[in-house]
Amino acid sequence: MRVARLFRFPVKGFPAEEIPEADVRTGRGIRGDRVAAFTNGSLDIPDDSWHRYSAFTVLKNDTDLQKWQVALDLAEAADSSQPAVADPSATVTLTSPQNETTTFRTDDRDTRATSADFLSARIPPQGDFPRALSVADQGMFDSQAAGVSIINPATVAAISQTADGQAALAPGETELDPLRFRGNVLVDGLAPFEEFALIGKIVRLGGVRLAITQAIERCPATTVNPTTTAVDVNVPRVLASACGHLHCGVYGRILESGLVSTGDEIEIEGDAPRELVKTARTPRFMTVLGSQQICNDIVEVSLRDDQGWIREFDEPGTNLRVHLDLGEPFWRTYTITDVSDDIVSIAVRTQGKGSRAVAELAAGQSVLASGPHGTMTANRVFGGTTALVTAGIGITPSLGLMRGAELSGTEKIKLFHVDRDHRTACLWDRLQKRAHSRQIPVETHHRDTASQGRPGHADLVDWLAGCDNVMVCGPADFTRAVLDASAEAGVPAVHQEIFASPNTGMSEAIAQCSPAEVTLENSGTSFLWEPQQGTLLEALEARGLRADNSCRGGSCGTCAVSLAAGSVIYPVEPAARIAADEVLVCSAVPSGPISLGI
């Protein structure tokens, strides 16, 4: 593993400069990296202090920034072994797409003000406050603590070769350019996604020591082609559909200053202090502890979360995503059936090459996983009289919902399960035991379609009469039948679970849904949503309605709006956590008539 290329970004949001050697300082990052940032007018902030990225003109909000050119001249540096201080002086020249230039010095307020006026005349504002070129001792990074970002080009190449990646590439392109990901360090010698194994480790690059603290979530800045400057590939959407997450690259906190050059070896020195590593649901490697067949073609696989993050976010009803390399990135979502300390168990049906590969993982192997994910948690599903209605392997979400939840406010639980020849009898027995262990009345119904046939509409309406909440999971036709019966039975809240995957991606999962009326409370208007319109965000935009958004992949939470009535489903479960009465319109579709607070 070695350093292949080095970059710095003198002005936040503007293009990079490639450099052969980097002077890296604790508390400051690479000298010359993010020495200034141009405010966007949305906030009134001082020009000599750090602020969150939302106050600045950045590439994800103004993709024309990639058309500018940047040149940097650094004053003589102090001894790199000394504690971090601001760069003594940096002279920055910015050249517009029309070949007009402006130059400022970071330590000179007058030249910064002149250049800010120049930029204000050429870059649209996002508010009415005066705009400025801001500087800060630690640099103008997204986080207040400076650091170094590392990108693995092998991962970028693997993403490019997926069906989603190839479909998104512009004519003549064969793969994505790693420079889209705006990293400081590009590395050689790692397999695709192997950089995630560095999280929680201390690494040495030349004379620099870093603690690798987190995976990097990608934003719409990656949609910009660094060569053509065109907005041509929705990278967050490709990541979400092809990889099951929105992450590419890792971030390092600087422990020891020094110089790093292209060609330097990268060595792992040991574990980083736990307090430096960000606890998250992001991709990380887990160790397989073992597996056991629990009935027919269903295997329960146990994994140890080596980072110990699973217990921080665990809720009954969540699921785990397993990310594999089967010639190209591949992922599957599995219900979490049990969590004990750092050990998580998932139920895997051994159908399809992906699930067979998961079921066949040997004890001691490492596998990339993320989560727990999911919004259909016990605290949202249960209340009053609650029915869990499932078919086949769709029983696993019920099993997950019943583990460890307090179920406060729940007066009665109804369990309805349909399968053929009792193929999921082991899971049905376990579910009943969990339900009957509660101090809540339980009603159970099992139907074997081999001997009793499928339940008809009247059967389902009768089952669901008097329910306050219904959760349904099963094949598409079964789910539609339960949704229709719930509507006729007058069930106030229906929760639908869909597990998307590379073979049943966003578009395919949405295609399974039925049309629904969407009411916009603030305007009093409504429209008929249909599957071909895509997500709620896409349907709103097609009607000229603006909804705040950023990642468009369910990760940042920017697009959350109030869900005043009805319920939605998420074809691919989002990572962002929102309130129970909110919906992420970039990732959701209606499961029936809904009302949005917009």
Side-chain angles (χ1 to χ4, degrees), residues 363-406:
Q365 278 188 265
S366 291
V367 63
L368 192 65
S370 64
H373 298 299
T375 57
M376 201 180 70
T377 52
N379 65 333
R380 298 188 183 202
V381 170
F382 285 97
T385 297
T386 301
L388 307 182
V389 188
T390 57
I393 192 63
I395 193 174
T396 57
S398 291
L399 196 61
L401 284 165
M402 290 301 302
R403 61 176 182 88
E406 293 184 5

Side-chain angles (χ1 to χ4, degrees), residues 14 38-43 54-68 96-98 116-132:
F14 285 74
F38 181 48
T39 61
N40 58 25
S42 63
L43 296 171
S54 56
F56 299 105
T57 301
V58 292
L59 188 60
K60 74 175 183 178
N61 293 329
D62 190 338
T63 55
D64 283 344
L65 294 182
Q66 189 63 37
K67 298 176 181 178
W68 288 67
S96 76
Q98 291 74 38
D117 290 341
F118 175 91
L119 295 174
S120 296
R122 291 159 178 81
I123 298 175
Q126 294 174 264
D128 297 326
F129 289 104
R131 302 173 77 183

Side-chain angles (χ1 to χ4, degrees), residues 418 420 447-450 452-457 459 463 475 477-478:
V418 176
R420 185 174 182 82
R447 191 176 186 112
D448 180 2
T449 59
Q452 298 172 280
R454 296 183 178 184
H457 179 72
D459 296 320
W463 286 359
D477 56 349
F478 175 80

Side-chain angles (χ1 to χ4, degrees), residues 239-535:
L239 280 168
S241 59
C243 302
H245 59 77
L246 288 173
H247 298 82
C248 182
V250 293
Y251 200 68
R253 179 169 173 175
I254 304 156
L255 302 179
E256 185 178 312
S257 301
L259 300 177
V260 57
S261 302
T262 54
D264 282 349
E265 293 294 321
I266 302 175
E267 300 175 351
I268 299 175
E269 293 191 345
D271 293 333
R274 299 290 292 183
E275 64 270 17
L276 297 183
V277 182
K278 182 180 179 181
T279 303
R281 297 180 176 85
T282 55
R284 70 273 191 190
F285 281 90
M286 296 187 181
T287 300
V288 179
L289 299 181
S291 61
Q292 60 175 341
Q293 185 170 357
I294 51 178
C295 62
N296 294 315
D297 58 352
I298 299 171
V299 173
E300 191 167 54
V301 179
S302 295
L303 309 166
R304 183 181 65 243
D305 186 348
D306 298 326
Q307 296 290 351
W309 295 346
I310 194 78
R311 61 180 179 269
E312 298 293 330
F313 302 104
D314 179 46
E315 292 182 75
T318 53
N319 51 66
L320 190 76
R321 289 183 193 165
V322 178
H323 311 273
L324 305 170
D325 183 358
L326 300 179
E328 65 177 75
F330 195 88
W331 60 280
R332 281 285 187 270
T333 300
Y334 301 101
T335 296
I336 296 174
T337 54
D338 275 301
V339 172
S340 177
D341 198 19
D342 296 336
I343 299 172
V344 55
S345 297
I346 55 176
V348 180
R349 188 178 187 185
T350 56
Q351 291 189 356
K353 68 175 183 178
S355 289
R356 284 197 299 271
V358 174
E360 293 169 2
L361 289 168
Q365 278 188 265
S366 291
V367 63
L368 192 65
S370 64
H373 298 299
T375 57
M376 201 180 70
T377 52
N379 65 333
R380 298 188 183 202
V381 170
F382 285 97
T385 297
T386 301
L388 307 182
V389 188
T390 57
I393 192 63
I395 193 174
T396 57
S398 291
L399 196 61
L401 284 165
M402 290 301 302
R403 61 176 182 88
E406 293 184 5
L407 309 187
S408 58
T410 303
E411 299 167 0
K412 185 177 184 179
I413 298 171
K414 292 184 174 184
L415 303 178
F416 301 98
H417 183 55
V418 176
D419 67 1
R420 185 174 182 82
D421 296 325
H422 296 274
R423 291 174 183 171
T424 52
C426 56
L427 298 179
W428 174 240
D429 290 344
R430 190 189 293 190
L431 177 61
Q432 291 182 90
K433 288 178 182 177
R434 287 187 175 181
H436 285 294
S437 69
R438 309 307 182 101
Q439 302 302 311
I440 300 172
V442 178
E443 179 183 325
T444 63
H445 299 268
H446 176 267
R447 191 176 186 112
D448 180 2
T449 59
S451 59
Q452 298 172 280
R454 296 183 178 184
H457 179 72
D459 296 320
L460 293 172
V461 173
D462 182 57
W463 286 359
L464 303 178
C467 289
D468 301 293
N469 286 276
V470 167
M471 187 286 294
V472 56
C473 187
D477 56 349
F478 175 80
T479 298
R480 289 195 190 98
V482 174
L483 293 175
D484 290 342
S486 298
E488 184 168 329
V491 178
V494 181
H495 313 271
Q496 182 179 353
E497 181 75 287
I498 292 180
F499 286 159
S501 68
N503 287 344
T504 309
M506 177 75 84
S507 299
E508 292 84 353
I510 291 176
Q512 299 175 12
C513 301
S514 301
E517 190 79 9
V518 177
T519 299
L520 308 179
E521 277 205 329
N522 294 356
S523 64
T525 61
S526 64
F527 64 89
L528 180 66
W529 176 89
E530 296 179 297
Q532 61 266 32
Q533 297 171 13
T535 64

